[in-house]
Amino acid sequence: MNIYVRQIAIFFVYLILQVLVFNQFTLFNVATPFVFLLFLLMLPMNIRLPFLMVIAFFAGLMVDLFSFNAFKGLNAAACVLMMSVRTPWVNVFTNRFSYHGAEEYLLQVQNTTWYAQYLFPLILLHHLAYFFLEAFSLDNVGLILIKVFT
């Protein structure tokens, strides 16, 4: 199967799961799982930044459009921000020469510690951007931080 067709199919699976299943799992109106972020974070590392931004924008926009929240575009903005720092963040703690020429396989050969260093800060950045944009105020910073960390 063509890699692009496979990635598009995986995205639609994540989109359907996010909209129909995981958006219904809001715990005390505080914690909502954003599972579709895994699609974005597991994209191959050799995708150019402008194309990565377009993918992130449309992935976030699709989730926003099919979700029943009042604010459209929050996921799109947060996803674009998250993906804009993905490559520099990976370069901080990964030896560039160890995977040079095999960037598309970088995510497949890493251990759990590497994934924790890769995923958690980027997901934290997405959640900070999403919930601060949702509140659009610094009045309830405590509640925003609770939402981010849950």
Side-chain angles (χ1 to χ4, degrees):
M1 182 185 296
N2 187 355
I3 185 123
Y4 300 114
V5 174
R6 181 173 175 256
Q7 290 293 334
I8 291 170
I10 290 171
F11 167 68
F12 280 112
V13 168
Y14 275 112
L15 176 67
I16 290 168
L17 286 174
Q18 180 68 46
V19 172
L20 296 179
V21 178
F22 291 108
N23 281 352
Q24 311 308 319
F25 286 160
T26 302
L27 181 65
F28 302 117
N29 203 17
V30 174
T32 302
F34 291 106
V35 177
F36 80 99
L37 294 177
L38 289 177
F39 163 76
L40 293 173
L41 292 171
M42 293 301 150
L43 286 172
M45 294 301 295
N46 61 348
I47 298 176
R48 300 251 183 241
L49 186 62
F51 190 56
L52 197 60
M53 296 293 128
V54 170
I55 293 171
F57 176 75
F58 283 113
L61 191 63
M62 293 295 283
V63 171
D64 283 334
L65 289 177
F66 292 115
S67 297
F68 295 109
N69 54 3
F71 305 108
K72 303 298 183 192
L74 295 181
N75 270 315
C79 287
V80 168
L81 176 66
M82 178 184 69
M83 295 310 281
S84 68
V85 300
R86 180 180 90 148
T87 303
W89 177 245
V90 169
N91 290 337
V92 165
F93 63 91
T94 303
N95 183 3
R96 185 85 171 147
F97 299 108
S98 66
Y99 68 89
H100 185 69
E103 287 91 355
E104 63 269 13
Y105 302 112
L106 175 68
L107 297 175
Q108 298 173 359
V109 296
Q110 299 302 327
N111 59 18
T112 307
T113 305
W114 188 92
Y115 273 110
Q117 291 175 339
Y118 170 64
L119 292 175
F120 291 139
L122 292 175
I123 292 173
L124 180 69
L125 177 66
H126 171 273
H127 285 29
L128 281 169
Y130 179 85
F131 289 116
F132 272 108
L133 284 173
E134 182 182 49
F136 208 69
S137 170
L138 295 177
D139 291 340
N140 295 325
V141 174
L143 179 62
I144 293 170
L145 292 176
I146 288 171
K147 286 183 176 185
V148 166
F149 289 109
T150 56

